[in-house]
Amino acid sequence: MTAPTVEAAIHELMDLAWNLVYGLLEERDLLGDGFNVEEYTGIHSWVEELTRYTVVHSREAAILFSGTRPVDAIVFHHDLLGADDPKAFFTLPG
């Protein structure tokens, strides 16, 4: 179980871009047996220059947000947690 503020932050990001998140997970073949927002219980956020990056993850997938826009999704692995540059695990557009 996650703390209410963490849970609220995860739901807010996922809900803001629901169609984009779903499409990104589908494109990367990460939907599994179904998409359930409640499975996403981890969040890590930081600011670089003027951009806030956020990684929301479940036990199976991680989604990188730039601001409030999902930009990539990968299979989750624990090396991502505590990494000096978590966004290096993802492919950023352009």
Side-chain angles (χ1 to χ4, degrees), residues 3-64:
T5 54
V6 170
E7 191 173 306
I10 292 169
H11 282 276
E12 182 176 342
L13 266 177
M14 300 292 267
D15 288 345
L16 278 173
W18 168 256
N19 290 332
L20 295 173
V21 168
Y22 189 90
L24 192 57
L25 291 170
E26 185 175 48
E27 180 181 307
R28 303 294 192 275
D29 198 27
L30 295 171
L31 283 177
D33 293 331
F35 180 73
N36 188 353
V37 174
E38 287 77 24
E39 293 175 12
Y40 290 80
T41 58
I43 188 168
H44 176 67
S45 187
W46 69 99
V47 175
E48 285 184 24
E49 297 177 15
L50 299 175
T51 304
R52 171 163 298 282
Y53 293 97
T54 305
V55 174
V56 176
H57 69 86
S58 68
R59 292 189 302 178
E60 297 178 12
I63 303 163
L64 175 66

Side-chain angles (χ1 to χ4, degrees), residues 28 30 60-63 72-77 80 89-91:
R28 303 294 192 275
L30 295 171
E60 297 178 12
I63 303 163
D72 196 17
I74 61 171
V75 172
F76 175 74
H77 46 87
L80 180 64
F89 289 82
F90 297 87
T91 303

